Amino acid sequence: MQPCWALMVRLDQRLLPEQDVYSDMSQIVRWVSRNNSKPGRTSGGDHIVVHAAPTWTRQTEDMEPEAVAEELWAEVSHVLSLPPVRPAQMAAHLWRHGLCDTPLGETYMFAREHMVGVGGDWCRGRLAEHAFESGAALGGAIVEAFS
Ligand SMILES: Cc1cc2nc3c(=O)[nH]c(=O)nc-3n(C[C@H](O)[C@H](O)[C@H](O)COP(=O)(O)OP(=O)(O)OC[C@H]3O[C@@H](n4cnc5c(N)ncnc54)[C@H](O)[C@@H]3O)c2cc1C
């Protein structure tokens, strides 16, 4: 598993350009997304989630979250050429085992003779849909084993 610094930023004004998601921005920032554009969210400003790159996260695992937040926001502002704006709120959190590096390559594992199974995003990838696929398929296998 790879560690991942995640940064939450709340801005009182709309600041990001039109695009809602940016990937592989630099050696520091891997992903930026506008959270307030999800359906049902209304906000006057921008709510942004930032993921740091895995290598940079490893190098900075021991840093204070406040310092990481400042560095990540400075980098996002730089790569997106944003005007200098102080966020109304921001917080960084280290997900030490955040994202799967090398998936299993199978949707789940289930040992019928012991009636034990395991599943999760790490079986197929690193996203919520991989977790859903894995859980749904494992559930199917369990139901089948009982019938
Ligand atoms: C910062 C961050 C942001 C992300 N953003 C996105 C995104 O925008 N879109 C997307 O698709 N994916 C995103 N992901 C990935 C997504 O969160 C995961 O793919 C998904 O949550 C994996 O689901 P899961 O059920 O496999 O595991 P988890 O959601 O990790 O669930 C595992 C559960 O098991 C519990 N658990 C662990 N050990 C034990 C134990 N011993 N006993 C009992 N319970 C235990 C945990 O508490 C947890 O509730 C993100 C991940 C991170 C870290």
Side-chain angles (χ1 to χ4, degrees), residues 68-139:
V68 168
E70 294 292 342
E71 276 207 39
L72 283 177
W73 181 241
E75 180 69 5
V76 169
S77 302
H78 171 66
V79 292
L80 291 179
S81 304
L82 303 179
V85 167
R86 188 78 209 146
Q89 195 181 2
M90 63 177 179
H93 179 80
L94 176 66
W95 293 86
R96 214 172 274 281
H97 308 288
L99 299 167
C100 179
D101 190 17
T102 311
L104 178 68
E106 295 180 32
T107 307
Y108 63 89
M109 288 192 287
F110 182 62
R112 197 180 172 128
E113 63 277 28
H114 303 297
M115 292 298 268
V116 173
V118 289
D121 63 346
W122 54 273
C123 290
R124 278 273 165 220
R126 53 164 53 183
L127 298 176
E129 54 261 42
H130 298 129
F132 181 86
E133 266 174 35
S134 176
L138 177 57

Side-chain angles (χ1 to χ4, degrees), residues 18-99:
E18 273 313 296
Q19 211 172 305
D20 284 335
V21 177
Y22 300 83
S23 300
D24 298 320
M25 307 298 299
S26 73
Q27 295 199 331
I28 298 179
V29 173
R30 191 180 63 85
W31 190 74
V32 178
S33 85
R34 190 199 317 267
N35 222 32
N36 47 296
S37 62
K38 288 177 178 169
R41 316 255 171 127
T42 48
S43 121
D46 263 338
H47 296 172
I48 300 167
V49 178
V50 179
H51 286 186
T55 305
W56 188 83
T57 297
R58 276 210 184 87
Q59 290 162 353
T60 55
E61 267 182 332
D62 295 330
M63 265 171 72
E64 291 300 321
E66 294 76 17
V68 168
E70 294 292 342
E71 276 207 39
L72 283 177
W73 181 241
E75 180 69 5
V76 169
S77 302
H78 171 66
V79 292
L80 291 179
S81 304
L82 303 179
V85 167
R86 188 78 209 146
Q89 195 181 2
M90 63 177 179
H93 179 80
L94 176 66
W95 293 86
R96 214 172 274 281
H97 308 288
L99 299 167

